[in-house]
Amino acid sequence: MPYLIAQDDTAEPEYAAYCVSGDEADCGAGSGPCGSPEAVEEWQRRHTRDTRHLRYRRSFTDYAVLEPQGGRP
């Protein structure tokens, strides 16, 4: 049976950033989960201001639901 995969509107997505700047090892500082990309960007700006680190790994996490197409599973 075919399914439609959709974002679960009942769960808020999370955004985060992790500082990967460093010569021999990553800095390791992280924003923690945030409710918007703007909050993560603000954390990155503050961290860069304080450390001059410029490289980050960003992530987006959400929940998905599968909805049967054409009837019940």
Side-chain angles (χ1 to χ4, degrees), residues 52-68:
R52 300 294 181 227
H53 292 166
L54 301 172
R55 191 163 185 260
Y56 298 88
R57 179 180 55 119
R58 298 184 303 174
S59 62
F60 166 77
T61 305
D62 70 344
Y63 292 85
V65 292
L66 275 74
E67 300 171 351

Side-chain angles (χ1 to χ4, degrees), residues 25-69:
D26 292 348
C27 164
S31 66
C34 296
S36 71
E38 294 81 14
V40 171
E41 291 168 4
E42 183 56 32
W43 176 85
Q44 289 176 265
R45 286 185 190 96
R46 286 192 315 270
H47 186 71
T48 295
R49 178 196 65 211
D50 296 343
T51 65
R52 300 294 181 227
H53 292 166
L54 301 172
R55 191 163 185 260
Y56 298 88
R57 179 180 55 119
R58 298 184 303 174
S59 62
F60 166 77
T61 305
D62 70 344
Y63 292 85
V65 292
L66 275 74
E67 300 171 351
Q69 291 183 321

